[in-house]
Amino acid sequence: MDTYDLIIVGAGPAGSTLAKALEGSGKRALLIDKQAFPRDKTCAGWVTPSVIEALGIDLADYGNGRTLQPIRRFQIGMMGQTAVENDHGSVVSYGIRRCEFDDYLLERTNTPKQLGTPVKNITRKEGNWVVNDTWSAPLIVGAGGHFCPVAKLVGDGPGSHETVVAAKEIEFEMTQEQAKACEARGDTPELWFCKDLKGYAWVFRKGNYLNIGLGREDNHKLTEHLQDFVEAMKAKGKVPADLPSRFKGHAYLLYNHAGRSLLDDGLLLIGDAAGLAYTQSGEGIRPAIESALLAANVIRQAPDVSAASLQAYGDAIAERFGHRGSVTEEGFQVPDWVKMPLAATLMRSHWFTRKVITEKWFLHQDVPALAANS
Protein backbone atom coordinates (compact mmCIF):
# COMPACT_ATOMS: atom_id res chain seq x y z
CA MET A 1 0.00 0.00 0.00
CA ASP A 2 1.34 3.45 -0.96
CA THR A 3 1.38 5.95 1.90
CA TYR A 4 1.28 9.75 1.57
CA ASP A 5 1.00 12.72 3.91
CA LEU A 6 -2.30 13.65 2.33
CA ILE A 7 -4.65 12.49 -0.37
CA ILE A 8 -6.59 15.09 -2.37
CA VAL A 9 -9.81 13.79 -3.90
CA GLY A 10 -10.69 15.99 -6.87
CA ALA A 11 -8.21 17.49 -9.36
CA GLY A 12 -10.19 20.56 -10.39
CA PRO A 13 -9.09 24.12 -9.55
CA ALA A 14 -9.28 23.59 -5.77
CA GLY A 15 -7.42 20.28 -5.73
CA SER A 16 -4.72 21.25 -8.21
CA THR A 17 -4.14 24.60 -6.47
CA LEU A 18 -3.69 22.88 -3.12
CA ALA A 19 -1.28 20.38 -4.63
CA LYS A 20 0.72 23.14 -6.31
CA ALA A 21 0.82 25.25 -3.13
CA LEU A 22 2.21 22.35 -1.10
CA GLU A 23 5.07 21.61 -3.47
CA GLY A 24 8.35 22.27 -1.70
CA SER A 25 6.73 21.96 1.74
CA GLY A 26 7.95 18.43 2.33
CA LYS A 27 4.38 17.14 2.28
CA ARG A 28 3.91 14.17 -0.03
CA ALA A 29 0.50 14.40 -1.66
CA LEU A 30 -1.54 12.32 -4.09
CA LEU A 31 -4.21 13.73 -6.40
CA ILE A 32 -7.11 11.45 -7.33
CA ASP A 33 -9.91 12.23 -9.79
CA LYS A 34 -12.56 10.00 -11.32
CA GLN A 35 -12.04 11.55 -14.73
CA ALA A 36 -9.10 11.76 -17.10
CA PHE A 37 -7.96 15.26 -18.07
CA PRO A 38 -8.69 17.30 -20.05
CA ARG A 39 -12.29 16.57 -19.19
CA ASP A 40 -15.56 18.18 -20.13
CA LYS A 41 -16.68 20.69 -17.51
CA THR A 42 -19.55 22.95 -18.43
CA CYS A 43 -19.31 26.30 -16.66
CA ALA A 44 -20.12 29.91 -17.52
CA GLY A 45 -16.40 30.23 -16.96
CA TRP A 46 -14.92 33.58 -16.20
CA VAL A 47 -12.03 34.39 -13.88
CA THR A 48 -11.23 37.78 -12.41
CA PRO A 49 -7.79 39.43 -12.34
CA SER A 50 -7.65 38.50 -8.63
CA VAL A 51 -7.73 34.81 -9.56
CA ILE A 52 -5.08 35.31 -12.22
CA GLU A 53 -2.89 37.11 -9.66
CA ALA A 54 -3.40 34.54 -6.90
CA LEU A 55 -2.48 31.70 -9.26
CA GLY A 56 0.44 33.54 -10.83
CA ILE A 57 -0.85 32.88 -14.35
CA ASP A 58 1.01 34.42 -17.28
CA LEU A 59 -1.83 35.59 -19.54
CA ALA A 60 0.32 35.45 -22.66
CA ASP A 61 1.26 31.87 -21.88
CA TYR A 62 -2.29 30.86 -21.00
CA GLY A 63 -3.76 32.50 -24.09
CA ASN A 64 -1.43 30.57 -26.39
CA GLY A 65 -3.79 28.01 -27.91
CA ARG A 66 -6.48 28.42 -25.24
CA THR A 67 -9.63 30.51 -25.04
CA LEU A 68 -9.04 33.74 -23.15
CA GLN A 69 -11.87 36.19 -23.72
CA PRO A 70 -11.29 39.68 -22.25
CA ILE A 71 -14.44 41.10 -20.62
CA ARG A 72 -14.93 44.87 -20.56
CA ARG A 73 -18.69 45.25 -20.32
CA PHE A 74 -21.72 43.56 -18.79
CA GLN A 75 -25.36 43.59 -19.78
CA ILE A 76 -27.61 43.11 -16.77
CA GLY A 77 -31.36 43.04 -16.56
CA MET A 78 -34.44 41.43 -15.18
CA MET A 79 -36.23 38.98 -17.42
CA GLY A 80 -38.93 40.79 -19.37
CA GLN A 81 -37.13 44.14 -19.15
CA THR A 82 -34.54 45.85 -21.32
CA ALA A 83 -31.01 45.15 -20.10
CA VAL A 84 -28.62 47.87 -18.92
CA GLU A 85 -25.13 47.85 -20.42
CA ASN A 86 -22.15 49.15 -18.49
CA ASP A 87 -18.71 49.74 -20.00
CA HIS A 88 -15.99 49.36 -17.36
CA GLY A 89 -13.37 50.94 -19.61
CA SER A 90 -10.80 48.18 -19.11
CA VAL A 91 -10.60 44.40 -18.80
CA VAL A 92 -12.36 43.39 -15.58
CA SER A 93 -12.47 39.64 -16.13
CA TYR A 94 -11.57 36.87 -18.55
CA GLY A 95 -13.70 34.20 -20.15
CA ILE A 96 -12.19 30.72 -20.08
CA ARG A 97 -13.28 27.20 -20.96
CA ARG A 98 -13.11 24.98 -17.92
CA CYS A 99 -11.88 21.97 -19.89
CA GLU A 100 -8.79 24.03 -20.77
CA PHE A 101 -8.43 25.99 -17.53
CA ASP A 102 -8.62 22.98 -15.23
CA ASP A 103 -6.20 20.99 -17.37
CA TYR A 104 -3.75 23.92 -17.43
CA LEU A 105 -3.74 24.17 -13.64
CA LEU A 106 -3.34 20.42 -13.24
CA GLU A 107 -0.45 20.27 -15.70
CA ARG A 108 1.45 22.86 -13.63
CA THR A 109 1.66 20.48 -10.68
CA ASN A 110 4.36 17.86 -10.15
CA THR A 111 2.22 16.05 -7.60
CA PRO A 112 1.62 12.34 -8.29
CA LYS A 113 -1.78 11.80 -9.90
CA GLN A 114 -4.27 8.99 -10.25
CA LEU A 115 -6.67 10.23 -12.94
CA GLY A 116 -9.58 8.31 -14.39
CA THR A 117 -9.83 6.67 -10.98
CA PRO A 118 -13.24 6.70 -9.25
CA VAL A 119 -13.14 6.57 -5.46
CA LYS A 120 -14.89 3.32 -4.65
CA ASN A 121 -14.31 3.26 -0.92
CA ILE A 122 -12.69 5.27 1.86
CA THR A 123 -11.96 3.53 5.15
CA ARG A 124 -10.20 4.49 8.38
CA LYS A 125 -7.44 2.18 9.59
CA GLU A 126 -5.02 2.87 12.43
CA GLY A 127 -5.40 6.63 12.16
CA ASN A 128 -5.04 6.73 8.39
CA TRP A 129 -7.54 7.12 5.58
CA VAL A 130 -7.35 4.34 3.01
CA VAL A 131 -8.72 4.98 -0.49
CA ASN A 132 -9.70 2.06 -2.72
CA ASP A 133 -7.66 -0.25 -0.45
CA THR A 134 -4.60 1.10 -2.26
CA TRP A 135 -3.50 4.53 -1.01
CA SER A 136 -3.17 5.65 2.59
CA ALA A 137 -2.68 9.00 4.34
CA PRO A 138 -3.40 10.57 7.75
CA LEU A 139 -5.09 13.53 6.03
CA ILE A 140 -7.70 13.44 3.28
CA VAL A 141 -8.91 16.56 1.48
CA GLY A 142 -12.23 16.70 -0.33
CA ALA A 143 -12.01 18.80 -3.50
CA GLY A 144 -14.42 16.85 -5.66
CA GLY A 145 -17.35 19.24 -5.91
CA HIS A 146 -20.76 19.21 -4.30
CA PHE A 147 -21.10 15.42 -4.24
CA CYS A 148 -17.48 14.77 -3.25
CA PRO A 149 -17.16 11.37 -1.53
CA VAL A 150 -14.99 12.92 1.18
CA ALA A 151 -17.83 15.29 2.12
CA LYS A 152 -19.94 12.23 2.90
CA LEU A 153 -17.52 11.35 5.69
CA VAL A 154 -18.54 14.46 7.61
CA GLY A 155 -21.59 14.01 9.83
CA ASP A 156 -23.48 16.92 8.29
CA GLY A 157 -22.33 16.28 4.73
CA PRO A 158 -24.54 16.23 1.61
CA GLY A 159 -28.20 15.77 2.43
CA SER A 160 -31.73 17.11 2.36
CA HIS A 161 -30.87 19.70 5.02
CA GLU A 162 -28.92 21.68 2.44
CA THR A 163 -30.44 24.31 0.14
CA VAL A 164 -28.83 23.56 -3.18
CA VAL A 165 -28.56 25.74 -6.26
CA ALA A 166 -29.48 23.68 -9.31
CA ALA A 167 -28.20 24.84 -12.67
CA LYS A 168 -28.52 23.72 -16.26
CA GLU A 169 -26.23 24.97 -18.98
CA ILE A 170 -24.62 24.17 -22.26
CA GLU A 171 -21.41 25.20 -23.97
CA PHE A 172 -20.76 24.44 -27.61
CA GLU A 173 -18.70 25.58 -30.56
CA MET A 174 -20.84 27.47 -33.04
CA THR A 175 -20.73 26.74 -36.72
CA GLN A 176 -19.54 29.50 -39.04
CA GLU A 177 -23.14 30.35 -39.84
CA GLN A 178 -24.18 30.39 -36.17
CA ALA A 179 -21.22 32.55 -35.16
CA LYS A 180 -21.97 35.07 -37.88
CA ALA A 181 -25.64 35.36 -36.91
CA CYS A 182 -25.08 35.37 -33.12
CA GLU A 183 -25.49 38.88 -31.72
CA ALA A 184 -23.96 38.05 -28.33
CA ARG A 185 -20.60 39.80 -27.92
CA GLY A 186 -17.64 38.10 -26.34
CA ASP A 187 -16.51 41.08 -24.29
CA THR A 188 -20.03 41.62 -22.91
CA PRO A 189 -21.55 38.73 -20.92
CA GLU A 190 -25.29 39.04 -20.26
CA LEU A 191 -26.86 38.34 -16.87
CA TRP A 192 -30.64 38.08 -16.60
CA PHE A 193 -32.21 37.84 -13.15
CA CYS A 194 -35.40 35.86 -12.58
CA LYS A 195 -38.36 38.03 -11.63
CA ASP A 196 -38.61 36.35 -8.21
CA LEU A 197 -34.86 36.97 -7.65
CA LYS A 198 -34.20 33.31 -6.82
CA GLY A 199 -31.63 32.92 -9.56
CA TYR A 200 -30.35 34.25 -12.85
CA ALA A 201 -29.52 33.16 -16.38
CA TRP A 202 -26.63 34.09 -18.62
CA VAL A 203 -25.41 34.24 -22.19
CA PHE A 204 -21.66 34.29 -22.57
CA ARG A 205 -19.76 34.13 -25.82
CA LYS A 206 -16.09 33.12 -25.85
CA GLY A 207 -14.92 33.46 -29.43
CA ASN A 208 -16.82 30.83 -31.37
CA TYR A 209 -17.96 29.10 -28.18
CA LEU A 210 -21.29 30.00 -26.62
CA ASN A 211 -22.38 29.25 -23.06
CA ILE A 212 -26.02 29.56 -21.99
CA GLY A 213 -27.47 28.53 -18.66
CA LEU A 214 -29.72 29.24 -15.71
CA GLY A 215 -29.33 28.53 -12.00
CA ARG A 216 -31.91 28.79 -9.22
CA GLU A 217 -31.86 28.14 -5.51
CA ASP A 218 -35.49 27.10 -5.88
CA ASN A 219 -35.15 24.46 -8.60
CA HIS A 220 -38.91 23.97 -9.01
CA LYS A 221 -39.65 24.02 -12.74
CA LEU A 222 -36.01 24.73 -13.52
CA THR A 223 -36.31 23.29 -17.02
CA GLU A 224 -39.38 25.41 -17.69
CA HIS A 225 -37.58 28.59 -16.57
CA LEU A 226 -34.63 27.67 -18.78
CA GLN A 227 -36.77 26.97 -21.83
CA ASP A 228 -38.54 30.31 -21.48
CA PHE A 229 -35.20 32.10 -21.24
CA VAL A 230 -33.73 30.30 -24.23
CA GLU A 231 -36.75 31.13 -26.39
CA ALA A 232 -36.48 34.79 -25.37
CA MET A 233 -32.79 34.84 -26.30
CA LYS A 234 -33.51 33.17 -29.63
CA ALA A 235 -36.01 35.91 -30.38
CA LYS A 236 -33.32 38.51 -29.67
CA GLY A 237 -30.80 36.77 -31.93
CA LYS A 238 -28.47 36.05 -28.99
CA VAL A 239 -28.87 32.28 -29.24
CA PRO A 240 -28.93 30.20 -32.46
CA ALA A 241 -32.30 28.81 -33.43
CA ASP A 242 -30.70 25.37 -33.91
CA LEU A 243 -29.28 25.27 -30.38
CA PRO A 244 -28.08 21.82 -29.19
CA SER A 245 -30.80 20.32 -27.05
CA ARG A 246 -28.81 18.60 -24.31
CA PHE A 247 -28.23 20.89 -21.34
CA LYS A 248 -26.11 19.55 -18.50
CA GLY A 249 -27.18 19.84 -14.89
CA HIS A 250 -25.06 20.37 -11.81
CA ALA A 251 -25.48 21.55 -8.23
CA TYR A 252 -23.59 23.65 -5.72
CA LEU A 253 -24.03 25.35 -2.37
CA LEU A 254 -24.01 29.07 -1.68
CA TYR A 255 -21.62 29.87 1.16
CA ASN A 256 -24.09 31.44 3.54
CA HIS A 257 -26.64 28.66 3.02
CA ALA A 258 -24.30 25.66 3.31
CA GLY A 259 -24.60 23.60 6.47
CA ARG A 260 -21.77 21.11 6.14
CA SER A 261 -18.68 21.27 8.33
CA LEU A 262 -15.36 22.24 6.77
CA LEU A 263 -13.16 19.84 8.74
CA ASP A 264 -12.86 16.90 11.09
CA ASP A 265 -10.04 14.76 12.43
CA GLY A 266 -7.74 14.15 9.48
CA LEU A 267 -10.15 15.74 7.02
CA LEU A 268 -10.61 19.06 5.19
CA LEU A 269 -13.10 20.21 2.58
CA ILE A 270 -12.24 22.89 0.03
CA GLY A 271 -14.01 24.50 -2.92
CA ASP A 272 -17.49 23.32 -3.85
CA ALA A 273 -17.05 20.26 -1.63
CA ALA A 274 -17.12 22.71 1.28
CA GLY A 275 -20.00 24.74 -0.15
CA LEU A 276 -18.04 27.94 -0.71
CA ALA A 277 -19.68 29.48 -3.79
CA TYR A 278 -20.26 33.20 -3.34
CA THR A 279 -23.75 33.79 -1.97
CA GLN A 280 -24.17 36.89 -4.15
CA SER A 281 -23.36 35.34 -7.51
CA GLY A 282 -22.90 31.59 -7.22
CA GLU A 283 -19.32 31.88 -8.50
CA GLY A 284 -17.16 29.04 -7.26
CA ILE A 285 -13.76 29.44 -8.94
CA ARG A 286 -12.31 32.20 -6.77
CA PRO A 287 -13.55 30.67 -3.48
CA ALA A 288 -12.13 27.31 -4.61
CA ILE A 289 -8.72 28.79 -5.33
CA GLU A 290 -8.61 30.82 -2.14
CA SER A 291 -9.81 27.97 0.08
CA ALA A 292 -7.03 25.79 -1.36
CA LEU A 293 -4.40 28.43 -0.58
CA LEU A 294 -5.73 28.86 2.95
CA ALA A 295 -5.77 25.09 3.46
CA ALA A 296 -2.19 24.80 2.20
CA ASN A 297 -0.99 27.33 4.77
CA VAL A 298 -2.68 25.43 7.60
CA ILE A 299 -1.43 22.03 6.41
CA ARG A 300 2.15 23.32 6.25
CA GLN A 301 2.02 24.66 9.80
CA ALA A 302 -0.30 22.29 11.69
CA PRO A 303 1.53 20.11 14.27
CA ASP A 304 -0.83 17.21 13.52
CA VAL A 305 -4.04 16.48 11.63
CA SER A 306 -6.44 16.58 14.56
CA ALA A 307 -9.58 18.67 14.20
CA ALA A 308 -8.19 21.02 16.84
CA SER A 309 -5.07 21.69 14.77
CA LEU A 310 -7.00 21.98 11.53
CA GLN A 311 -9.50 24.44 13.02
CA ALA A 312 -7.17 27.21 11.90
CA TYR A 313 -8.47 26.49 8.39
CA GLY A 314 -12.08 27.00 9.49
CA ASP A 315 -11.08 30.23 11.19
CA ALA A 316 -9.28 31.43 8.05
CA ILE A 317 -12.33 30.69 5.89
CA ALA A 318 -14.58 32.61 8.27
CA GLU A 319 -12.20 35.56 8.27
CA ARG A 320 -11.99 35.59 4.48
CA PHE A 321 -15.62 34.90 3.56
CA GLY A 322 -17.48 35.86 6.72
CA HIS A 323 -19.22 33.70 9.30
CA ARG A 324 -21.96 31.52 7.88
CA GLY A 325 -25.35 32.71 9.02
CA SER A 326 -24.19 36.29 9.46
CA VAL A 327 -26.13 37.31 6.35
CA THR A 328 -29.87 36.75 6.47
CA GLU A 329 -30.86 37.52 2.90
CA GLU A 330 -32.33 34.74 0.80
CA GLY A 331 -31.47 33.66 -2.70
CA PHE A 332 -28.41 35.19 -4.29
CA GLN A 333 -27.96 37.58 -1.33
CA VAL A 334 -30.53 40.06 -2.54
CA PRO A 335 -31.27 42.47 0.34
CA ASP A 336 -34.85 43.14 1.37
CA TRP A 337 -34.70 46.67 -0.01
CA VAL A 338 -33.93 45.32 -3.49
CA LYS A 339 -36.90 42.98 -3.63
CA MET A 340 -39.98 43.58 -5.70
CA PRO A 341 -41.33 46.06 -6.64
CA LEU A 342 -38.19 48.18 -6.15
CA ALA A 343 -36.00 45.55 -7.85
CA ALA A 344 -37.46 46.22 -11.28
CA THR A 345 -36.49 49.88 -10.96
CA LEU A 346 -33.00 49.17 -9.62
CA MET A 347 -32.30 46.76 -12.48
CA ARG A 348 -32.72 49.72 -14.85
CA SER A 349 -30.11 51.75 -12.98
CA HIS A 350 -26.61 52.01 -14.45
CA TRP A 351 -25.19 52.84 -11.02
CA PHE A 352 -26.80 49.87 -9.26
CA THR A 353 -26.07 47.29 -11.97
CA ARG A 354 -22.47 48.45 -12.22
CA LYS A 355 -21.44 49.33 -8.67
CA VAL A 356 -23.47 46.75 -6.77
CA ILE A 357 -24.24 43.78 -9.02
CA THR A 358 -21.15 43.71 -11.24
CA GLU A 359 -18.30 45.25 -9.29
CA LYS A 360 -19.33 44.10 -5.80
CA TRP A 361 -21.38 40.90 -6.20
CA PHE A 362 -19.78 39.36 -9.26
CA LEU A 363 -16.26 40.78 -9.52
CA HIS A 364 -15.60 41.41 -5.80
CA GLN A 365 -13.37 44.31 -6.71
CA ASP A 366 -13.44 45.51 -3.12
CA VAL A 367 -11.65 42.34 -1.95
CA PRO A 368 -7.88 42.22 -2.66
CA ALA A 369 -6.37 39.12 -4.22
CA LEU A 370 -5.23 36.43 -1.79
CA ALA A 371 -1.51 35.81 -2.00
CA ALA A 372 -0.30 32.21 -2.13
CA ASN A 373 1.50 32.56 1.22
CA SER A 374 -1.32 34.42 3.03
Side-chain angles (χ1 to χ4, degrees):
M1 184 176 296
D2 294 334
T3 301
Y4 297 84
D5 293 306
L6 69 153
I7 295 173
I8 305 168
V9 177
S16 60
T17 298
L18 175 60
K20 179 70 172 176
L22 288 174
E23 290 179 2
S25 69
K27 301 291 184 180
R28 188 164 178 256
L30 174 69
L31 266 170
I32 300 178
D33 199 287
K34 65 182 178 181
Q35 294 184 321
F37 282 61
R39 49 93 161 99
D40 184 26
K41 180 70 174 180
T42 302
C43 176
W46 64 64
V47 293
T48 60
S50 294
V51 170
I52 299 297
E53 180 182 343
L55 291 173
I57 292 177
D58 182 322
L59 290 175
D61 174 61
Y62 183 85
N64 184 16
R66 303 177 188 87
T67 298
L68 186 65
Q69 173 65 63
I71 298 171
R72 296 178 174 84
R73 306 173 186 85
F74 280 88
Q75 279 194 17
I76 297 175
M78 181 174 285
M79 293 181 189
Q81 294 184 179
T82 301
V84 170
E85 180 170 314
N86 292 309
D87 187 341
H88 293 265
S90 61
V91 175
V92 292
S93 198
Y94 299 91
I96 50 90
R97 300 188 66 222
R98 285 289 301 277
C99 58
E100 298 172 346
F101 184 74
D102 293 11
D103 188 55
Y104 173 83
L105 296 184
L106 186 59
E107 284 296 313
R108 299 198 311 171
T109 71
N110 296 315
T111 301
K113 308 171 184 69
Q114 288 290 335
L115 305 179
T117 306
V119 172
K120 298 178 180 178
N121 59 74
I122 304 174
T123 57
R124 197 80 185 269
K125 294 181 180 179
E126 299 177 353
N128 278 3
W129 297 101
V130 179
V131 178
N132 290 0
D133 302 315
T134 305
W135 304 286
S136 172
L139 175 63
I140 191 165
V141 179
H146 177 64
F147 296 107
C148 179
V150 179
K152 297 177 182 178
L153 302 174
V154 182
D156 54 0
S160 58
H161 66 287
E162 296 180 321
T163 303
V164 178
V165 172
K168 285 189 174 183
E169 58 189 296
I170 190 171
E171 183 169 289
F172 65 99
E173 186 173 14
M174 294 183 285
T175 65
Q176 188 174 7
E177 293 75 16
Q178 288 175 329
K180 185 176 180 179
C182 179
E183 295 187 19
R185 291 170 289 160
D187 68 346
T188 312
E190 300 186 24
L191 305 175
W192 295 88
F193 284 82
C194 299
K195 292 182 179 179
D196 61 5
L197 300 177
K198 291 186 177 181
Y200 67 92
W202 61 88
V203 176
F204 187 15
R205 181 173 183 169
K206 313 165 194 177
N208 284 335
Y209 288 92
L210 191 64
N211 188 291
I212 309 111
L214 188 148
R216 286 177 59 83
E217 197 165 16
D218 171 13
N219 62 16
H220 181 60
K221 296 183 178 180
L222 175 61
T223 300
E224 187 176 307
H225 282 283
L226 176 62
Q227 289 174 343
D228 290 344
F229 173 70
V230 168
E231 291 305 314
M233 291 299 103
K234 285 182 178 180
K236 293 176 179 289
K238 301 296 179 68
V239 171
D242 53 344
L243 184 72
S245 59
R246 187 173 179 270
F247 281 69
K248 295 184 178 180
H250 60 96
Y252 55 90
L253 292 172
L254 301 178
Y255 177 71
N256 200 55
H257 303 165
R260 63 183 64 172
S261 299
L262 300 178
L263 58 96
D264 204 341
D265 286 326
L267 185 153
L268 288 178
L269 299 180
I270 60 178
D272 279 348
L276 300 181
Y278 281 129
T279 305
Q280 307 95 325
S281 63
E283 182 210 343
I285 295 178
R286 182 173 178 179
I289 299 299
E290 294 190 347
S291 66
L293 295 176
L294 294 173
N297 291 332
V298 171
I299 292 169
R300 280 195 295 262
Q301 300 172 23
D304 54 52
V305 296
S306 66
S309 293
L310 297 177
Q311 182 56 43
Y313 168 68
D315 296 341
I317 290 292
E319 182 178 355
R320 183 67 177 174
F321 299 103
H323 290 274
R324 279 177 168 155
S326 62
V327 180
T328 59
E329 293 86 356
E330 298 177 354
F332 287 81
Q333 196 170 308
V334 179
D336 288 335
W337 55 271
V338 177
K339 295 180 181 178
M340 299 293 284
L342 185 58
T345 300
L346 288 171
M347 288 296 182
R348 298 188 183 99
S349 162
H350 282 276
W351 179 88
F352 182 79
T353 54
R354 175 171 178 157
K355 294 297 183 182
V356 179
I357 296 179
T358 306
E359 295 181 357
K360 186 175 179 64
W361 291 357
F362 279 81
L363 300 178
H364 291 270
Q365 291 183 346
D366 57 331
V367 181
L370 185 68
N373 59 356
S374 293

